[in-house]
Amino acid sequence: MASLICGSVAYDTIMGFGGQFADQILPDQLHILNVSFLVPSMRRDFGGCAGNIAYALKQLGGEPVPLAAIGDDGEPYLAHLRAQGITTQGVRAVPGTFTAQAMIMTDRDNNQITAFHPGAMQHAHEQVVPELPGLRVAILAPDGREATLTHAEQLQAHGVPFVFDPGQGLPMFDGPTLDGLVAKADWITVNDYEARMLCDRLQTNEAELSRRVRGLVVTLGAQGCTVWEAGQATSVPGVVADAVVDPTGCGDAWRGAFLHGLEQGWSLVRCAELGNRIGALKVAVQGPQNYTVDAQMLATWLA
């Protein structure tokens, strides 16, 4: 049983700002914004939506197949994936490019400012959705614009049900393009801000949008999420984390768990419940791929 994960593989450079962004930015001076933040702490992690989702799914016993592109600097990432037992057959190296890079600055309230260099991800559309035995489900995580459109068409042609997860890539698509992507998708996952943007561009609301797919899930951070099915909403409470250390990759951890539930044929509410647990586990750990799910912990959750 395999799950295809279309999206970015990236290096995350994560910097910690000890203050609050709001104290450094003057709202009435945004037209001449020129700010500098002192970031005493910095680290580099393996990240990117496809990498993070694959890591979460593997932690839960799944068989993720990332479909992504890396640059000349990507060999350490490939070695990392292999060390986790994650196949790299769908990850292609693009000569003359950098692997995608995310520069993330987090303040003491866990607000984030991110700069993203797509690098090799701009060639992700050249990767073809493979015909894999046992492929049960796929996810279209944030990726290059052309890659998202191309892979949606290929997944539909192969008859593979997939989750449309536009994330931070949502602004790349206008209303008619989003309409076409939704028409091909089986499920949609977005956070509350993205849900509002998506509905605005489609000139609809969450209830009506959920009637166009098998399910719509709107994540709400620590508050959990709302599962929409056929116009009806179910609130799934959040899970209290042991500590709030680093929010980077929490949404991807949630999506890896959600994908695992879809593989098993669970209800969307049960998928979301597991997602909330994995998101809470991840937020207590620095970096997007440094938490672990042991067998006893998972068995307790699933009992």
Side-chain angles (χ1 to χ4, degrees):
M1 184 186 302
S3 293
L4 190 70
I5 304 172
C6 307
S8 62
V9 163
Y11 290 114
D12 289 345
T13 300
I14 302 174
M15 299 159 283
F17 173 59
Q20 295 173 300
F21 294 145
D23 293 337
Q24 306 295 318
I25 298 174
L26 302 175
D28 61 342
Q29 299 297 310
L30 291 177
H31 62 293
I32 54 169
L33 183 66
N34 187 355
V35 294
S36 177
F37 300 95
L38 177 65
V39 288
S41 65
M42 187 178 81
R43 69 181 190 279
R44 199 180 196 211
D45 286 316
F46 298 108
C49 294
N52 295 344
I53 293 170
Y55 180 88
L57 183 56
K58 189 65 180 182
Q59 285 287 308
L60 294 167
E63 290 299 326
V65 181
L67 191 71
I70 59 170
D72 294 328
D73 56 345
E75 185 55 42
Y77 206 131
L78 291 178
H80 164 71
L81 291 174
R82 293 174 187 136
Q84 302 300 319
I86 298 172
T87 179
T88 59
Q89 67 184 77
V91 183
R92 170 177 172 263
V94 181
T97 68
F98 288 107
T99 300
Q101 313 273 330
M103 281 66 75
I104 304 167
M105 185 165 52
T106 304
D107 74 1
R108 71 183 186 204
D109 292 333
N110 283 321
N111 298 306
Q112 292 185 321
I113 296 175
T114 300
F116 186 76
H117 170 66
M121 194 182 80
Q122 296 174 100
H123 298 267
H125 62 279
E126 298 168 10
Q127 290 289 83
V128 177
V129 169
E131 295 189 39
L132 297 174
L135 181 60
R136 294 287 299 276
V137 67
I139 185 168
L140 279 185
D143 208 342
R145 184 180 189 279
E146 191 172 350
T148 299
L149 297 172
T150 300
H151 293 154
E153 291 180 358
Q154 292 172 354
L155 287 168
Q156 185 184 48
H158 290 325
V160 178
F162 70 88
V163 179
F164 177 43
D165 172 35
Q168 60 265 41
L170 184 56
M172 296 189 297
F173 305 104
D174 59 18
T177 305
L178 287 168
D179 190 74
L181 288 165
V182 168
K184 296 179 178 66
D186 292 82
W187 305 275
I188 299 171
T189 56
V190 284
N191 65 28
D192 48 349
Y193 181 84
E194 294 156 0
R196 182 173 300 180
M197 180 182 290
L198 179 59
C199 287
D200 283 349
R201 295 201 172 181
L202 293 176
Q203 298 183 341
T204 188
N205 55 48
E206 292 169 353
E208 290 304 316
L209 181 57
S210 72
R211 292 188 174 96
R212 297 184 55 187
V213 289
R214 293 164 65 179
L216 163 70
V217 185
V218 181
T219 59
L220 305 168
Q223 284 68 52
C225 57
T226 303
V227 175
W228 288 88
E229 296 178 273
Q232 301 298 312
T234 302
S235 179
V236 182
V239 173
V240 178
D242 291 339
V244 178
V245 175
D246 180 12
T248 308
C250 284
D252 295 331
W254 186 98
R255 281 153 178 78
F258 184 78
L259 206 59
H260 176 72
L262 291 179
E263 281 185 344
Q264 309 305 311
W266 295 353
S267 70
L268 293 191
V269 169
R270 190 181 181 194
C271 294
E273 288 172 344
L274 182 60
N276 290 349
R277 288 188 179 277
I278 300 300
L281 182 68
K282 203 261 51 98
V283 79
V285 177
Q286 288 278 6
Q289 298 182 32
N290 297 321
Y291 60 96
T292 57
V293 182
D294 61 51
Q296 184 177 357
M297 180 188 301
L298 184 58
T300 300
W301 290 344
L302 302 183

